[in-house]
Amino acid sequence: MAEPGSTDAPIRFNRPALVGRELEYIRDSIESGRTSAGGPYSAKAADIIMEHTGAEDVLLTTSCTSALELSALMLDLEPGDTVVVPSFTFTTTALAFARQGARLLFCDIEERTLGLDPQHLATLLDESVRAVVVVHYAGVGCDIEGVRTVLAGWPDIALIEDNAHGFLGTWRDEPLGSLGRFATQSFHETKNIVCGEGGALLLNDAADVDRARVLYDKGTNRRAFMLGQVDKYSWMDTGSSFGLSDTLAAYLLGQLERATEIQASRRDVHGWYDRRLSPHADDLGFEVAHPPPDRRSAYHMFYVLLPDNAVRNRVLETLQRAGIGAVFHYVPLHSSDGGRKFAARPTKCPVTTDISGRLLRLPFYNDLTEAEVDRVSDTFLTAVTQAMQESA
Ligand SMILES: *Cc1c(COP(=O)(O)O)cnc(C)c1O
């Protein structure tokens, strides 16, 4: 292992950075004694998210997972109901709905954006389907037009965006997170905007706001009471304790105030990788994704697709041995034990299986330097050249 501080110091996969007034706000939150959910920092953070996305209301949650669970509760799922989810996603995109009693229909992805494949989606729909969940993978909008066309004949099916990667990305100038009835955000330490663990549920339909507030407030009408709309505060409906601590909202506000700068840094890092690697892609047989021209990426990550699984695994090993924190994901959900347990029926997701075996994510965070990107890129190109020779 190289000496820390030498040019060969390890480069981590992810490193959250302080970008603004986070520490000052956290200190103030604790000193003020208002640290539970629904305090002043939460209100300010939610306002910024609303400004960027145009949501009718924003509920800060303990995670993206809990925001997905709250959206599942809002659907009042009944036995026999199903929810369509991508197979190529993080576990809780699916688990949140399975936990609420839905059976899952795993949908394949399309090669261009690694988002939900509308053609496969069309073959999955029937009267049992209550919702379709999309992911804007890597922060690039999925084929929303294709999904909307398929859903046009099914007005009762809710479209839900798991927008964990997509905050500040756009699809045809519309913010990601504004396209579904519900959208969920993640502020986990690995995401673009962080507060350790946190998330948000974006409500894009005004008709959902009152009930969502009750479910969010442990099934009570606490909010209506606080607003003076009712004279007593009592148990009304199902729900849970979804709210983010105001101290974490203080951390989040420090980040959100600098969201545009964070995104600009991430766009730079993405651009450096692109310029270093794309010219070699055809020769070496790997692919670098470029967003379709009608979408602005949220720059959540930088990934490449290697020609096959054996080359991907060799390259990954070489990078890790060189102290470079490259990783892969997702293990397809449709063929996982949990996925099989909660599936309504088996479905075929060949693109998911193929992509999952070939995808490699390179270190990516706001203050990764151009010199570090150069070093990762050089090591990657050498590793691919070697791996291709070995497999020839
Ligand atoms: C990170 C992530 C989640 C989970 O977010 P948490 O805030 O950790 O619950 C869900 N879906 C996707 C696509 C993610 O990347």
Side-chain angles (χ1 to χ4, degrees):
M1 186 64 65
E3 295 286 314
S6 80
T7 51
D8 286 326
I11 299 178
R12 284 161 58 173
F13 173 66
N14 177 58
R15 194 174 69 193
L18 282 171
V19 293
R21 301 171 71 181
E22 295 96 327
L23 296 178
E24 178 193 333
Y25 290 166
I26 290 168
R27 184 182 184 97
D28 177 63
S29 163
I30 295 169
E31 286 179 349
S32 77
R34 295 160 80 183
T35 55
S36 62
Y41 284 106
S42 299
K44 286 185 188 148
D47 279 348
I48 294 181
I49 298 169
M50 251 182 284
E51 272 165 36
H52 283 299
T53 60
E56 292 289 334
D57 203 358
V58 169
L59 307 181
L60 296 186
T61 57
T62 53
S63 64
C64 181
T65 299
S66 68
L68 287 161
E69 289 176 344
L70 179 49
S71 75
L73 267 188
M74 288 290 289
L75 296 175
D76 290 316
L77 296 164
E78 287 174 9
D81 287 348
T82 61
V83 172
V84 177
V85 295
S87 174
F88 189 67
T89 183
F90 186 68
T91 317
T92 58
T93 312
L95 174 58
F97 298 90
R99 188 165 177 270
Q100 209 45 45
R103 292 264 143 194
L104 304 174
L105 289 164
F106 289 105
C107 188
D108 210 356
I109 50 171
E110 45 128 14
E111 308 244 1
R112 195 169 55 142
T113 62
L114 309 189
L116 211 67
D117 175 9
Q119 285 185 12
H120 191 218
L121 174 64
T123 70
L124 297 176
L125 298 184
D126 62 32
E127 296 296 334
S128 73
V129 177
R130 301 287 314 285
V132 171
V133 188
V134 297
V135 173
H136 304 300
Y137 183 76
V140 173
C142 72
D143 182 2
I144 285 290
E145 181 170 45
V147 169
R148 282 183 178 163
T149 303
V150 172
L151 289 181
W154 302 88
D156 296 333
I157 297 180
L159 178 63
I160 300 174
E161 298 171 83
D162 176 344
N163 197 33
H165 302 181
F167 186 60
L168 298 189
T170 61
W171 177 84
R172 298 189 186 164
D173 296 332
E174 294 180 64
L176 301 182
S178 71
L179 305 164
R181 175 173 158 193
F182 304 116
T184 62
Q185 303 296 151
S186 176
F187 306 116
H188 183 265
E189 92 173 34
T190 52
K191 300 306 199 288
N192 292 23
I193 306 280
V194 301
C195 70
E197 296 272 4
L201 179 65
L202 278 54
L203 302 168
N204 291 322
D205 183 342
D208 284 323
V209 170
D210 287 347
R211 179 150 190 259
R213 282 279 177 186
V214 170
L215 273 48
Y216 175 79
D217 267 338
K218 301 141 180 149
T220 71
N221 60 351
R222 179 173 166 276
R223 179 176 164 82
F225 175 72
M226 302 294 272
L227 293 172
Q229 294 164 350
V230 291
D231 58 12
K232 58 183 192 320
Y233 155 26
S234 61
W235 185 17
M236 308 292 289
D237 202 338
T238 185
S240 191
S241 178
F242 289 105
L244 183 73
S245 158
D246 212 52
T247 305
L248 287 178
Y251 181 177
L252 181 61
L253 180 66
Q255 292 259 310
L256 284 168
E257 286 178 342
R258 309 282 298 183
T260 312
E261 290 87 343
I262 290 174
Q263 292 306 99
S265 308
R266 300 181 79 92
R267 187 183 58 228
D268 286 348
V269 174
H270 202 279
W272 296 330
Y273 271 128
D274 191 18
R275 277 198 295 281
R276 289 287 281 110
L277 298 183
S278 290
H280 304 282
D282 285 349
D283 277 357
L284 291 176
F286 65 89
E287 294 165 55
V288 174
H290 294 102
D294 60 349
R295 289 160 231 198
R296 187 179 74 211
S297 177
Y299 302 105
H300 175 55
M301 68 173 89
F302 187 89
Y303 69 90
V304 290
L305 296 172
L306 281 307
D308 60 44
N309 181 246
V311 169
R312 194 277 308 271
N313 291 346
R314 271 193 219 119
V315 171
L316 180 63
E317 215 187 288
T318 308
L319 290 175
Q320 288 177 345
R321 257 190 281 120
I324 291 171
V327 300
F328 71 91
H329 76 177
Y330 295 108
V331 180
L333 297 183
H334 73 285
S335 51
S336 68
D337 287 348
R340 276 200 283 253
K341 176 171 165 150
F342 293 116
R345 57 179 183 272
T347 54
K348 292 198 170 69
C349 304
V351 179
T352 297
T353 304
D354 172 57
I355 294 290
S356 161
R358 298 196 289 120
L359 187 138
L360 185 73
R361 298 173 66 186
L362 299 178
F364 196 86
Y365 47 87
N366 310 348
D367 52 5
L368 195 65
T369 65
E370 191 165 5
E372 286 167 327
V373 168
D374 281 348
R375 192 182 127 213
V376 175
S377 300
D378 288 343
T379 314
F380 170 80
L381 291 170
T382 308
V384 180
T385 308
Q386 278 168 5
M388 293 299 282
Q389 279 163 359
E390 283 166 32
S391 73

